[in-house]
Amino acid sequence: MQIDISGRIDGTAEVHRMVALLLEHGGVAIDDYTPHPWTLPEIVSGTVIDGLRFFHFRGYHERIRGHGRPDSLTPPAQVHRSKRVRGCHQLGGHS
């Protein structure tokens, strides 16, 4: 499943609620800001991976503005037009 989120509003709280519902029985979510497959406990607790939390678009943009694009962060070009949650996958089930 892919979810595109408009870049005009923050939407972080809504994304977290939606992902919590989708992952309540397991699985992972992948955002455009790190290559890490995020579990629900990591998302809820605010775990930081490579300096970013799940769907941390502000931190990502601050990082690339201040230091150029890090090699480990290679999202699609459209990340500047919209924020996306690329996938929510249930482990051992259907996506």
Side-chain angles (χ1 to χ4, degrees):
M1 171 183 287
Q2 177 174 313
I3 304 166
D4 293 324
I5 295 120
S6 169
R8 292 184 221 154
I9 61 168
D10 182 317
T12 300
E14 293 82 359
V15 168
H16 281 231
R17 282 194 299 270
M18 180 177 47
V19 169
L21 290 171
L22 291 170
L23 299 181
E24 68 184 342
H25 298 292
V28 297
I30 301 168
D31 64 16
D32 280 346
Y33 309 106
T34 71
H36 180 73
W38 297 92
T39 65
L40 184 56
E42 290 173 327
I43 294 167
V44 170
S45 70
T47 297
V48 175
I49 304 289
D50 294 332
L52 298 170
R53 295 180 307 276
F54 175 75
F55 198 66
H56 193 187
F57 62 93
R58 282 192 187 104
Y60 172 81
H61 288 293
E62 287 171 14
R63 181 185 275 183
I64 64 169
R65 262 184 256 143
H67 304 290
R69 177 170 288 173
D71 291 339
S72 65
L73 301 174
T74 55
Q78 67 213 42
V79 77
H80 297 288
R81 289 178 282 152
S82 67
K83 301 179 288 270
R84 294 189 312 145
V85 176
R86 283 194 306 226
C88 294
H89 305 282
Q90 288 194 340
L91 300 175
H94 300 289
S95 58

